[in-house]
Amino acid sequence: MTRNQARPHPSRRALLGGATLTALAAATGTGTANAATTTSPPATWPTEFPLPDGFLPEGIAIGRKPYAYMGSRANGAIFRTDLRTGRGRILFAGAAGLVAVGMKLDHDGLLYVAGNTGVARTHDSRTGNVVATHQLSEATGHFINDVTLLGDRAWFTDSRAAALYAVSRGRSGTVRTLPLTGDWVQLPDVNNANGIVGAPDGHSLIVVKSTPGELYKVNTRTGHATRITLVGAPNVVNGDGLHRIGRTLYVVQNRLNVISVFHLDRTSTTATLTGSITDPRFDVPTTAARYANRLYLVNARFTTPQLPETTFTGVAVPI
């Protein structure tokens, strides 16, 4: 794993200290902590683990316990891996026509899954059973891509339409459509909105626009999107999954095989590049989830033939 620092060069101690402070802030409710501890896992915990051949992974979710849930673009299956051993099993077998891309695990054990073709699903993370299916949009002309949890709702992006969708958290969620306005300009025939995460203020959202590679802060009441000014980076092209700890924002740039690390200002309208994380094991990583002081990612391998025999892995990098 290689960590590159943007100019001006903060010391390694400063980077690690900042990570510790933001992790502590997350743990006290001002960030997005999803792990019970911020300490290092034992060295015996694997930093790479296999997924089923032909699985076509893209999303990953981790809660307070050391289990990763990963979804399949092939048939909507969900695979659960024990982070302590690297061993896993199919939790939900999926079915023809289903897709599982972005995923988030709630504190009550419900797993929210973006389903691509206009739908989202809620699964019981213990059994894998489908609890609810939410029709967010028409099936054609839409790509329900990623999800985050903020307040009392799960928020989903649509890569092919200028809208977000909010589903009430719980077993019988209602759906709200939030059109994107303000600085947002929807581009035709490309993936627009992709990764999504709550902003540090606790009531706004940050969305990455994969093409041409921009970040936006979105008002969840009005849908007004303000383009975030990038300092130290011209863009975040191929931006996919987002993860935030305090004011530190991690942007997974899939086909570039890099995680760009930004510091958000007080209003989350400026993001300054502080470094990047690369690893020779990256093979088009898409989304990231945190446990303790590691980010776990799945390699979607978009540049490799997506065949039934194609192998896939999940990997972990320190933060």
Side-chain angles (χ1 to χ4, degrees):
M1 187 272 293
T2 303
R3 182 187 296 271
N4 299 315
Q5 297 175 337
R7 298 179 184 274
H9 295 289
S11 69
R12 185 172 184 273
R13 176 176 296 178
L15 282 173
L16 293 176
T20 301
L21 289 173
T22 51
L24 288 172
T28 56
T30 58
T32 56
N34 63 349
T37 177
T38 58
T39 58
S40 301
T44 54
W45 287 24
T47 59
E48 184 171 4
F49 50 85
L51 295 170
D53 291 353
F55 191 71
L56 309 190
E58 184 164 343
I60 182 171
I62 301 173
R64 292 186 176 91
K65 297 180 180 179
Y67 299 100
Y69 299 81
M70 292 148 286
S72 169
R73 290 176 285 113
N75 61 0
I78 296 173
F79 191 81
R80 190 181 86 161
T81 292
D82 188 326
L83 301 179
R84 297 166 296 186
T85 64
R87 292 192 292 270
R89 65 182 180 91
I90 293 289
L91 187 69
F92 173 68
L98 295 185
V99 175
V101 278
M103 310 170 70
K104 285 295 182 296
L105 181 61
D106 208 344
H107 59 81
D108 59 1
L110 292 181
L111 185 65
Y112 293 85
V113 178
N116 189 346
T117 54
V119 300
R121 297 189 306 279
T122 307
H123 290 256
D124 186 318
S125 65
R126 291 170 288 274
T127 65
N129 294 338
V130 177
V131 173
T133 299
H134 312 282
Q135 191 68 45
L136 305 184
S137 68
E138 296 178 353
T140 58
H142 296 268
F143 178 8
I144 309 305
N145 198 336
D146 208 351
V147 57
T148 197
L149 305 178
L150 181 68
D152 61 354
R153 296 176 183 270
W155 292 88
F156 293 84
T157 58
D158 188 337
S159 293
R160 296 296 173 128
L164 302 178
Y165 307 97
V167 175
S168 298
R169 290 161 73 170
R171 292 180 173 266
S172 58
T174 57
V175 177
R176 171 195 173 201
T177 300
L178 182 71
L180 293 173
T181 61
D183 294 339
W184 190 272
V185 177
Q186 188 75 8
L187 302 177
D189 304 320
V190 296
N191 284 340
N192 288 256
N194 197 330
I196 183 171
V197 72
D201 62 18
H203 55 80
S204 303
L205 293 162
I206 296 174
V207 176
V208 63
K209 194 177 187 184
S210 296
T211 306
E214 298 166 343
L215 293 171
Y216 289 83
K217 180 183 179 182
V218 178
N219 184 308
T220 56
R221 290 187 299 102
T222 66
H224 187 279
T226 301
R227 183 176 172 182
I228 297 173
T229 300
L230 301 182
V231 177
N235 56 56
V236 285
V237 67
N238 297 136
D240 201 326
L242 299 179
H243 189 80
R244 180 183 64 79
I245 305 173
R247 291 191 190 176
T248 300
L249 180 68
Y250 298 87
V251 182
V252 182
Q253 293 176 258
N254 53 33
R255 293 175 186 263
L256 301 185
N257 289 314
V258 65
I259 305 169
S260 293
V261 185
F262 290 90
H263 176 75
L264 298 167
D265 72 346
R266 183 180 56 83
T267 61
S268 297
T269 54
T270 298
T272 301
L273 185 69
T274 59
S276 62
I277 301 171
T278 59
D279 193 290
R281 299 168 301 161
F282 285 175
D283 194 348
V284 194
T286 44
T287 56
R290 169 177 167 249
Y291 191 83
N293 67 342
R294 292 179 176 180
L295 280 184
Y296 288 83
L297 307 95
V298 288
N299 284 315
R301 307 194 71 189
F302 290 149
T303 57
T304 299
Q306 308 279 278
L307 304 174
E309 62 270 21
T310 302
T311 59
F312 294 94
T313 59
V315 298
V317 293
I319 53 174

